[in-house]
């Protein structure tokens, strides 16, 4: 079972640590445990409770009223909020709980509900990317395992592939070509798949090369297709100290192409970007290119 500090609960729930303390003391909302060395910690049950309390409080319920609810009542109120079109906060919380429980049915229901209400593109922007940000916090603090990460990544990947497969692309004369790939050693494909979906949604041409593409194969594909744009994502490859050299290499090898790069490794402040290499801070920046 995971163990969370109060600061980790703050980051995951949006409730300040001192407020959580007050709620504990005044309303007995949570019951922290103690390690053998007397350090306070919280478990998965506490996290799920606080996520529900946070949502109800955000929607206007007073904490004194929430504290009087039985667990079943609280869950019922939360589920009612889930029925409101465009309400994503609780669906994100439900996805986190489903991930911790490895509950595929509950995880799928959250994504399917928001996709039906808002469309798949908005579900990605307002549900899946905020969810991935939260599990990034869990990953950094050691409170989820690789099994959890693989569980949710594969389910989201399936949703993306189904959405792409269902698209009908009507290319217009003069449509631009986009070459999409992940560099050698890079396997984190979710963002690249979503780029594929967005480009196809706007009836542009995609050359999708997928994961782990050697640079020589990237050069060959470029020489055959001459795309106007190249898109890639750097999450775990190349090595952090090689990212700058990789950016220069791309710019020099493909000087006539605009290159869009997204991912954790390119958010380093000290990086310098050649004129034809554009950093994306978030995926909404990419979708706005087609506005």
């Amino acid at each position: 079972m995971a163990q969370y500090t109060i600061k980790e609960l703050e980051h995951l729930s949006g409730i300040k640590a001192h407020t959580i303390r007050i709620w504990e003391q005044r309303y007995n909302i949570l019951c922290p445990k103690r390690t053998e060395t007397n350090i306070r910690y919280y478990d998965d049950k506490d996290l799920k409770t606080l996520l529900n309390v946070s949502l109800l409080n955000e929607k206007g319920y007073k904490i004194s009223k929430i504290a009087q609810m039985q667990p079943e009542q609280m869950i019922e109120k939360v589920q009612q909020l889930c029925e409101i079109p465009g309400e994503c906060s609780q669906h994100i919380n439900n996805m986190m709980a489903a991930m911790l429980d490895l509950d595929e049915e509950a995880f799928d229901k959250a994504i399917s509900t928001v996709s039906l209400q808002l469309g798949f593109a908005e579900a990605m922007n307002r549900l899946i990317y905020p969810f991935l940000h939260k599990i990034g916090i869990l990953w950094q603090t050691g409170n989820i395992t690789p099994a959890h990460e693989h569980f949710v990544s594969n389910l989201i990947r399936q949703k993306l592939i189904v959405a792409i497969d269902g698209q009908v692309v009507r290319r217009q004369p003069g449509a631009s070509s986009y070459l999409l790939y992940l560099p050698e050693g890079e396997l984190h494909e979710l963002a690249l798949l979503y780029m594929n979906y967005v480009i196809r949604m706007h009836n542009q041409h995609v050359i999708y090369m997928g994961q782990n593409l050697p640079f020589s194969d990237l050069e060959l594909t470029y020489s055959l297709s001459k795309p106007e744009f190249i898109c890639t994502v750097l999450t775990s490859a190349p090595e952090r100290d090689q990212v700058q050299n990789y950016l220069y290499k791309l710019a020099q090898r493909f000087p006539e192409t605009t290159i869009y790069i997204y991912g954790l490794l390119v958010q380093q402040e000290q990086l310098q970007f050649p004129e034809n290499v554009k950093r994306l801070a978030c995926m909404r920046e990419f979708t706005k290119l087609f506005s």
Side-chain angles (χ1 to χ4, degrees):
M1 183 174 289
Q3 296 185 2
Y4 307 94
T5 66
I6 196 166
K7 285 303 282 186
E8 288 166 1
L9 287 189
E10 176 181 304
H11 290 312
L12 291 165
S13 68
I15 303 297
K16 295 293 185 183
H18 74 271
T19 302
I20 296 173
R21 292 265 196 218
I22 292 171
W23 288 358
E24 280 179 26
Q25 296 165 2
R26 190 172 298 173
Y27 302 108
N28 200 30
I29 289 290
L30 301 177
C31 299
K33 291 78 180 167
R34 292 186 180 272
T35 66
E36 293 179 358
T37 54
N38 207 34
I39 297 174
R40 291 159 56 95
Y41 73 89
Y42 303 82
D43 59 20
D44 289 339
K45 181 179 178 182
D46 294 319
L47 173 60
K48 294 173 189 176
T49 298
L50 186 61
L51 290 173
N52 286 336
V53 170
S54 170
L55 181 77
L56 292 174
N57 186 242
E58 178 188 326
K59 298 304 177 184
Y61 288 85
K62 293 183 178 180
I63 189 63
S64 56
K65 297 296 184 184
I66 299 172
Q68 294 172 5
M69 293 180 186
Q70 296 297 318
E72 297 79 11
Q73 290 178 289
M74 189 183 301
I75 292 171
E76 182 181 352
K77 294 289 186 185
V78 165
Q79 291 302 326
Q80 289 173 3
L81 289 173
C82 285
E83 303 304 319
I84 300 174
E87 173 53 59
C88 293
S89 299
Q90 181 51 30
H91 289 297
I92 294 170
N93 293 348
N94 286 347
M95 288 166 68
M96 291 180 64
M99 176 193 65
L100 295 172
D101 295 336
L102 299 179
D103 185 341
E104 180 175 344
E105 182 178 353
F107 194 88
D108 181 79
K109 180 180 179 182
I111 297 178
S112 297
T113 299
V114 177
S115 296
L116 286 170
Q117 291 174 346
L118 303 177
F120 186 74
E122 276 301 294
M124 285 293 301
N125 287 322
R126 295 175 57 181
L127 179 75
I128 294 176
Y129 273 105
F131 164 75
L132 291 173
H133 173 72
K134 285 198 173 188
I135 70 166
I137 297 171
L138 291 173
W139 179 263
Q140 291 169 11
T141 56
N143 283 310
I144 59 171
T145 67
H148 290 105
E149 196 264 345
H150 282 285
F151 174 74
V152 297
S153 293
N154 281 309
L155 290 176
I156 294 171
R157 185 174 184 275
Q158 289 171 23
K159 290 288 185 185
L160 280 162
I161 290 172
V162 169
I164 292 167
D165 190 55
Q167 288 178 305
V168 178
V169 179
R170 298 180 176 86
R171 287 180 59 190
Q172 304 296 324
S176 298
S177 292
Y178 291 75
L179 171 56
L180 274 59
Y181 81 100
L182 295 181
E184 195 163 12
E186 181 62 78
L187 301 175
H188 295 81
E189 195 179 13
L190 295 184
L192 196 74
L193 282 168
Y194 184 52
M195 286 179 166
N196 186 7
Y197 176 83
V198 170
I199 296 166
R200 290 166 56 89
M201 183 172 67
H202 290 88
N203 296 313
Q204 305 299 298
H205 181 223
V206 178
I207 305 156
Y208 193 84
M209 301 303 292
Q211 305 166 318
N212 195 31
L213 187 73
F215 201 87
S216 58
D217 289 346
L218 175 63
E219 292 176 310
L220 176 61
T221 307
Y222 178 84
S223 68
L224 294 173
S225 59
K226 293 293 192 296
E228 292 90 344
F229 302 94
I230 294 175
C231 304
T232 190
V233 181
L234 308 185
T235 303
S236 60
E239 294 293 332
R240 182 174 288 267
D241 61 357
Q242 294 299 313
V243 171
Q244 185 67 74
N245 289 338
Y246 191 78
L247 298 178
Y248 288 145
K249 185 177 181 180
L250 284 173
Q252 292 166 5
R253 179 60 188 85
F254 311 113
E256 298 178 357
T257 303
T258 300
I259 303 165
Y260 290 108
I261 300 190
Y262 177 67
L264 182 63
L265 288 176
V266 295
Q267 305 310 320
Q268 305 172 64
E269 292 184 3
Q270 73 274 17
L271 290 176
Q272 297 179 0
F273 288 83
E275 186 176 353
N276 65 322
V277 179
K278 313 296 182 184
R279 170 170 55 187
L280 299 168
C282 64
M283 197 50 68
R284 276 198 179 275
E285 285 190 10
F286 185 72
T287 59
K288 286 179 180 178
L289 296 174
F290 302 90
S291 298

